[in-house]
Amino acid sequence: MSQNQAAPTSKPDAVDPSLRWIDIHLHLNMLKTDADAALASAASQGVTRVITIGTEPKDHPLVLDWAARRFPQVACTLGVHPHEATLWSKEVRQFIFDHRQAKGLVAVGEIGLDYYYNNSPQDVQIAAFREQMQLAEELDLPVQIHTRDADADTAKILREYSGRVRGLLHCFTSSAELAREALDCGFDLSFSGVVTFKNAQALREVVREVPLDRLHVETDAPFLAPVPKRGQSNVPEFVLHTAQAVAELKSVTLAELSRQTLANASRLFTRLGS
Ligand SMILES: [Zn+2]
Ligand SMILES: [Zn+2]
């Protein structure tokens, strides 16, 4: 792609609210606005399902409660984020195991490696990642993986669990090589508002390469609001801007992308229901 090729334009006015979307990764408990209001506003824009992520043990009871009781449109994951890998323990493993049948629990996550921040030591991150992949295999649940500046070790662990664990790499911003490796190992890729950022040309090339039946869209709210909302606190309805950019990159209509991403989410997160 040439240097001066513009980022895909995001046209909120062109969005058709009759289309349905799922935001497969956000942090409802971290939103700057009230969760009820954010979900109601999202639903009015067609974002009728969301998956809220459990990132550390203290949040697990809350995300379970939201998914099981408080919000019918919310599903959840349970896991320990690489930033918090030092909090992974036998007790946390047991908690997730004990809640494996909880209503609304659809995946283990987010788990993985983050060598950009290194908030936990790398060997601790690797051990927590492997043990949670094993737990996902044992529970027959998909995983949501976070990876940043850790391509080689992520690829190694994806290969180890290829064919044993299914899942996706969320907020994918890594190299085309890691994208190919993940796809080869059977993992899907999920894209956030980063695809709309001006300097994300290489990532947009990755989006072009990923088969339509292997991609997802997410906000990772409250982080990473897409253009034209960049700099604001992200909310689930902004997934429409990312969808718009991805549809343009894949040369499909929004209706096609809506249908395909819903199908992809139902295929991967088998406990999502309709
Ligand atoms: Zn993440
Ligand atoms: Zn996240």
Side-chain angles (χ1 to χ4, degrees):
M1 189 195 285
S2 72
Q3 282 279 313
N4 53 13
Q5 188 162 351
T9 50
S10 200
K11 308 183 204 77
D13 293 337
V15 163
D16 176 352
S18 72
L19 299 178
R20 293 284 167 265
W21 301 95
I22 176 167
D23 178 359
I24 64 92
H25 185 116
L26 86 167
H27 301 272
L28 261 189
N29 53 315
M30 299 181 194
L31 295 187
K32 301 285 180 284
T33 50
D34 175 66
D36 294 80
L39 289 169
S41 182
S44 75
Q45 301 290 305
V47 185
T48 52
R49 298 301 302 276
V50 306
I51 301 178
T52 195
I53 306 300
T55 55
E56 59 176 305
K58 76 171 171 49
D59 294 337
H60 289 172
L62 178 69
V63 298
L64 277 171
D65 183 59
W66 283 6
R69 277 176 289 280
R70 198 164 145 203
F71 299 115
Q73 67 273 52
V74 174
C76 76
T77 71
L78 293 178
V80 174
H81 191 286
H83 289 345
E84 323 294 341
T86 53
L87 300 178
W88 175 248
S89 66
K90 281 196 177 66
E91 291 71 28
V92 176
R93 187 188 200 286
Q94 190 64 44
F95 181 91
I96 298 174
F97 184 87
D98 290 345
H99 291 83
R100 64 194 180 280
Q101 305 286 7
K103 181 167 178 278
L105 175 68
V106 297
V108 171
E110 56 184 297
I111 63 177
L113 304 173
D114 193 315
Y115 296 172
Y116 180 79
Y117 286 108
N118 281 316
N119 287 355
S120 290
Q122 294 183 1
D123 58 331
V124 177
Q125 293 189 40
I126 290 170
F129 186 16
R130 281 212 176 92
E131 286 176 33
Q132 292 182 93
M133 290 291 268
Q134 265 152 30
L135 179 61
E137 182 181 20
E138 189 179 328
L139 301 182
D140 191 26
L141 281 171
V143 290
Q144 288 214 12
I145 295 169
H146 170 112
T147 179
R148 189 163 181 198
D149 283 6
D151 289 18
D153 286 350
T154 299
K156 185 163 180 262
I157 293 174
L158 294 182
R159 280 195 293 272
E160 284 170 23
Y161 290 90
S162 178
R164 294 162 56 190
V165 176
R166 64 192 192 283
L168 57 77
L169 274 59
H170 104 88
C171 189
F172 189 83
T173 54
S174 303
S175 65
E177 290 69 32
L178 184 62
R180 287 184 204 117
E181 185 81 51
L183 291 166
D184 280 352
C185 290
F187 293 87
D188 291 358
L189 301 182
S190 176
F191 298 98
S192 70
V194 176
V195 297
T196 68
F197 294 0
K198 195 161 182 277
N199 62 358
Q201 303 287 21
L203 181 62
R204 284 189 283 277
E205 287 305 318
V206 172
V207 175
R208 285 199 173 91
E209 273 191 41
V210 180
L212 257 184
D213 62 354
R214 305 289 299 282
L215 67 81
H216 304 259
V217 287
E218 66 173 280
T219 57
D220 206 9
F223 312 107
L224 299 169
V227 174
K229 306 291 184 182
R230 195 168 181 189
Q232 295 183 27
S233 184
N234 205 355
V235 285
E237 69 202 66
F238 291 173
V239 79
L240 293 168
H241 299 286
T242 298
Q244 179 85 38
V246 169
E248 287 179 24
L249 290 166
K250 303 305 289 178
S251 303
V252 297
T253 62
L254 275 174
E256 243 174 300
L257 188 69
S258 158
R259 189 187 51 73
Q260 186 68 59
T261 50
L262 289 179
N264 296 348
S266 311
R267 187 232 331 128
L268 183 59
F269 302 109
T270 49
R271 296 180 57 187
L272 202 53
S274 52

